[in-house]
Amino acid sequence: MSRFSQPDPELGHRLSRRGMLGVAAGATAAALLGAAAPATAATRNTTGATGSATPATTSGTKGRGRPVLPPGRLGIQLYSLRDKVSTLGFGPVFAELERYGYDEVEFAGYTQGSAGPITLAQLKRLARNHGLNPIGSHVGYYSDDPNAYTFAQNLTKVLDDAQALGLKHIGTASGPFRYGSTVDAWKRAAEDFNTYGAAARARGMKFYQHNHSEEFSFATDNPKVRLYDILLKETDPDLVHLEMDIYWAYVGQFRFSKRPDGTPAPFEPLNYVLRQPDRYPLFHVKDGESDPSNPYGYNMTDVGDGDIDYQRFISAVTRLRGHRLAHHWQAEHDNPAESFTFARRSSAHLHSLREKC
């Protein structure tokens, strides 16, 4: 999906999914953009199309102890594999993900680009045949085009397609910048999100918003107010959920731990989750090497190669009473050097993590 209107604050890093796997509308929407836990990676053949299995990376706590990653809850955002989907099709990609130990997939489009058409029924069946649960999907928030496949323009169709796939979550990776960056602008966007959340809930689904770093910036008309806090306050927690992209949240911490006037405004992304864990059914597990010379503070890496402490983060969430299996963890890399290698190594690393005894 694409980020609609507003200057793009993430520059090259902030994704443009408009053409990820193709966009269609109207009569062709069946091919439109928009279970039991299998064995862990340790007991699967993790040798994929890119060669022999890569050993798990060495950071984190491994060996003894309960696995940090809950069973059946490792997914991947298919945007990370868009090159393989467009050239090979969903079937071969799903087969590789099954081999790598993935349990779930999150969509960023429902077509295959140059690999040929596919219906939603076929796509759902194909995923299930490979032991993959379609858990969610990213759809655009709004567009100037009244026929665009977005929540604002085609809410009913977006929800129809999500239901056809059996999704439990349907969301957007677009920031709530539709009306600007003032307090009232974000209150208006929150009203939109409440509307979409109510419509999704009526269908048995959860609406969610996926953050980048700019959500943690400050309102232009009140620089003491963090925009993300407005979103949390003004949306109904029963209707609007969040998918924290953990990497971008830590980029936000790097960029926006001071107000525009230079006064301190520190925050810890994990604390947002611990205060309201029910609002975060989904996470993006994305890693980065710390680099203070980078304006974003990090250089994106494969999961396990960076400095974000996922042993700590995931454990803190899953140790909350009743939350061991309440969340879904989607590996992602915006631009991996080799996408199958990224998927394989990220799964191996996350499955290798163990809680501290």
Side-chain angles (χ1 to χ4, degrees):
M1 313 317 142
S2 59
R3 308 291 184 263
F4 296 103
S5 107
Q6 299 303 319
D8 191 351
E10 305 303 342
L11 302 177
H13 285 296
R14 195 159 179 178
L15 321 184
S16 174
R17 290 180 173 135
R18 177 184 296 275
M20 174 208 160
L21 303 177
V23 182
T28 59
L32 193 61
L33 174 70
T40 65
T43 59
R44 291 194 184 195
N45 175 11
T46 58
T47 302
T50 56
S52 59
T54 300
T57 52
T58 57
S59 61
T61 301
K62 301 180 175 63
R64 295 183 178 181
R66 184 174 70 166
V68 166
L69 190 70
R73 291 297 185 270
L74 178 62
I76 191 166
Q77 166 52 252
L78 291 171
Y79 181 76
S80 303
L81 297 158
R82 61 197 180 277
D83 61 322
K84 297 297 192 294
V85 174
S86 66
T87 56
L88 302 176
F90 280 111
V93 170
F94 288 170
E96 288 300 299
L97 295 177
E98 182 181 17
R99 288 157 68 93
Y100 301 160
Y102 284 93
D103 311 297
E104 301 173 335
V105 289
E106 182 185 33
F107 292 99
Y110 307 143
T111 66
Q112 300 187 100
S114 62
I118 187 169
T119 69
L120 295 179
Q122 290 170 331
L123 185 55
K124 178 181 179 180
R125 183 167 57 251
L126 192 60
R128 295 294 171 85
N129 286 346
H130 288 287
L132 297 169
N133 179 32
I135 192 62
S137 180
H138 286 185
V139 176
Y141 170 16
Y142 68 98
S143 170
D144 293 333
D145 179 0
N147 297 313
Y149 189 72
T150 63
F151 282 96
Q153 279 76 14
N154 280 289
L155 177 60
T156 298
K157 186 58 192 170
V158 166
L159 298 181
D160 285 347
D161 291 347
Q163 273 196 308
L165 277 170
L167 301 180
K168 296 300 183 184
H169 308 82
I170 180 71
T172 184
S174 302
F177 294 95
R178 179 180 187 180
Y179 308 106
S181 299
T182 65
V183 172
D184 284 344
W186 273 55
K187 287 182 177 180
R188 289 182 65 189
E191 291 177 3
D192 288 348
F193 285 9
N194 284 331
T195 298
Y196 310 150
R201 185 179 183 183
R203 307 268 197 122
M205 293 179 284
K206 292 181 179 180
F207 170 80
Y208 64 95
Q209 193 267 343
H210 164 285
N211 66 274
H212 292 83
S213 71
E214 197 73 14
E215 284 88 335
F216 297 95
S217 64
F218 299 92
T220 53
D221 62 335
N222 188 345
K224 293 183 179 180
V225 177
R226 195 181 301 279
L227 291 173
Y228 195 70
D229 295 337
I230 301 172
L231 179 66
L232 286 167
K233 181 180 179 181
E234 298 295 331
T235 51
D236 186 332
D238 292 327
L239 301 179
V240 177
H241 299 82
L242 290 308
E243 176 181 62
M244 179 174 281
D245 186 304
I246 299 168
Y247 170 87
W248 285 119
Y250 280 104
V251 171
Q253 182 190 58
F254 177 85
R255 296 180 66 195
F256 303 114
S257 283
K258 291 183 179 180
R259 298 182 181 88
D261 65 2
T263 58
F267 73 94
E268 166 54 53
L270 177 59
N271 288 342
Y272 275 107
V273 182
L274 298 182
R275 285 194 294 264
Q276 299 186 65
D278 291 331
R279 297 208 72 177
Y280 293 89
L282 305 171
F283 292 90
H284 272 193
V285 180
K286 187 184 299 180
D287 213 344
E289 291 180 313
S290 179
D291 180 3
S293 68
N294 184 323
Y296 292 96
Y298 293 88
N299 298 313
M300 197 176 295
T301 67
D302 291 353
V303 180
D305 289 347
D307 297 314
I308 297 177
D309 189 347
Y310 278 109
Q311 189 277 336
R312 168 181 171 266
F313 196 104
I314 299 175
S315 291
V317 176
T318 58
R319 282 175 176 173
L320 296 172
R321 186 171 183 178
H323 283 270
R324 174 74 174 158
L325 297 175
H327 307 273
H328 305 265
W329 307 88
Q330 317 297 309
E332 188 185 34
H333 191 309
D334 292 1
N335 294 292
E338 207 295 315
S339 56
F340 275 153
T341 299
F342 153 74
R344 174 166 41 83
R345 297 183 71 244
S346 297
S347 174
H349 173 74
L350 290 167
H351 278 109
S352 74
L353 295 178
R354 295 294 182 268
E355 291 184 355
K356 296 178 180 178
C357 299

